[in-house]
Amino acid sequence: HITKGSVVFDNVSFAYPESEEDVVKDINFQVAPGEKLAVIGSTGAGKTSLFQLIPRLYDPTKGKVSVDGSPLSDYSLDELRGSIGYVPQSPLLFTGSVTDNIAWGKDQATTEEIMQAAKDAQIHDTIMQLDDQYETRVGQKGVNLSGGQKQRISIARALIRKPKILMLDDSTSALDLATESRLLDAIDTYQCTMLIITQKITTAMRADRILLMDEGKLLAIGTHTELLASSALYRKIVES
Ligand code: DGT
Ligand code: MG
């Protein structure tokens, strides 16, 4: 069982099945239980590809990823995906109510749990303004929601499972600073390891450490202060 939420990458490389070229190159790092790690790097750096290896959307072509000290292959996919809240970069809602979309995969979710997850994801107030509130139909055949609203419903879907590892792939990109800050404050109350891809240095600085990727490689990992001292690329990103 995943009870702690530690993550270890051990010499991990990855190429997409239809491609020869590694987009993740020989990556090593460890995340401690409860730690918050931000991942930054320019577009195409391999951030999403790196993330997808943890819930096993893909497997590495070389090296090993471990969670709680065991290789990912020791866990069933259900167990892995039940303990890892993975919010993809372009989240999908299915046709159904807001409630269905948040409770998805957690059949016995109570109204209270659904609302609490929505409040923590900073989407409750928006839901209450919809015509049928939590019973409003969303997805392809439902009301149109903005990208940021879909992201927050998708975050609520992850939070309701009380994941041991929460992974946000640029999920706060569409939020204003105040809303994002409230969201991250709410996530702080969950006892989980958090991995967050972000373009914003202010968001990255809220994490315990920052991992900087470039062209598939891990260029640097450390605190904001450490990276300022050690990485020219990091200084360039901060100054831009
Ligand atoms: P972003 O989201 O624009 O900030 O970029 P990253 O850092 O998330 O980059 P990522 O991991 O999506 O892409 C890394 C490289 O992998 C890039 O050259 C595009 C390529 N790539 C991404 N998804 C796929 C895929 O599904 N198939 C193939 N063959 N290549 C992909
Ligand atoms: Mg990406």
Side-chain angles (χ1 to χ4, degrees):
H1 267 323
I2 297 171
T3 54
K4 302 196 283 287
S6 66
V7 180
V8 177
F9 272 65
D10 206 354
N11 278 305
V12 171
S13 296
F14 169 67
Y16 283 96
E18 70 274 18
S19 149
E20 304 272 280
E21 194 208 348
D22 283 348
V23 294
V24 169
K25 296 173 184 162
D26 227 356
I27 290 208
N28 292 284
F29 68 93
Q30 310 200 351
V31 188
E35 188 178 0
K36 302 197 185 314
L37 179 75
V39 177
I40 63 169
S42 55
T43 178
K47 304 179 296 296
T48 297
S49 305
L50 180 86
F51 260 37
Q52 289 176 338
L53 302 175
I54 299 174
R56 289 191 76 188
L57 299 173
Y58 290 98
D59 285 326
T61 34
K62 193 177 123 282
K64 187 177 77 183
V65 181
S66 306
V67 165
D68 282 6
S70 301
L72 292 181
S73 55
D74 280 12
Y75 302 99
S76 70
L77 283 183
D78 278 354
E79 187 174 7
L80 213 52
R81 292 174 192 170
S83 301
I84 297 174
Y86 176 67
V87 182
Q89 194 162 7
S90 310
L92 287 176
L93 300 187
F94 56 83
T95 303
S97 67
V98 171
T99 291
D100 296 338
N101 269 275
I102 294 176
W104 180 72
K106 193 171 189 295
D107 302 335
Q108 346 74 320
T110 65
T111 307
E112 261 125 68
E113 288 174 320
I114 291 166
M115 282 200 187
Q116 189 59 50
K119 282 178 183 163
D120 290 339
Q122 310 302 314
I123 192 66
H124 172 75
D125 292 347
T126 305
I127 296 168
M128 294 308 281
Q129 283 161 20
L130 300 172
D131 281 348
D132 295 315
Q133 300 180 336
Y134 277 81
E135 292 317 308
T136 306
R137 279 171 76 79
V138 295
Q140 268 193 345
K141 293 181 186 150
V143 299
N144 277 323
L145 295 175
S146 73
Q149 290 165 341
K150 285 184 204 158
Q151 280 180 331
R152 277 173 285 162
I153 289 180
S154 182
I155 293 171
R157 180 191 288 168
L159 290 180
I160 199 168
R161 294 155 161 272
K162 302 250 171 6
K164 274 289 134 199
I165 301 171
L166 178 65
M167 305 180 66
L168 304 177
D169 189 345
D170 223 4
S171 308
T172 61
S173 57
L175 304 188
D176 61 77
L177 288 179
T179 307
E180 180 189 46
S181 184
R182 283 200 301 275
L183 170 73
L184 294 173
D185 286 344
I187 289 173
D188 282 344
T189 68
Y190 285 68
Q191 312 251 300
C192 63
T193 304
M194 181 172 76
L195 305 175
I196 179 169
I197 294 173
T198 178
Q199 313 280 350
K200 289 181 270 189
I201 219 74
T202 48
T203 309
M205 281 174 67
R206 283 191 55 134
D208 298 309
R209 287 189 301 157
I210 300 165
L211 188 165
L212 174 59
M213 275 189 92
D214 190 46
E215 295 181 354
K217 294 194 285 269
L218 186 162
L219 274 200
I221 184 167
T223 64
H224 172 72
T225 313
E226 285 167 354
L227 295 199
L228 277 180
S230 69
S231 169
L233 179 61
Y234 187 75
R235 285 194 294 274
K236 218 171 116 191
I237 295 169
V238 170
E239 282 155 19
S240 66

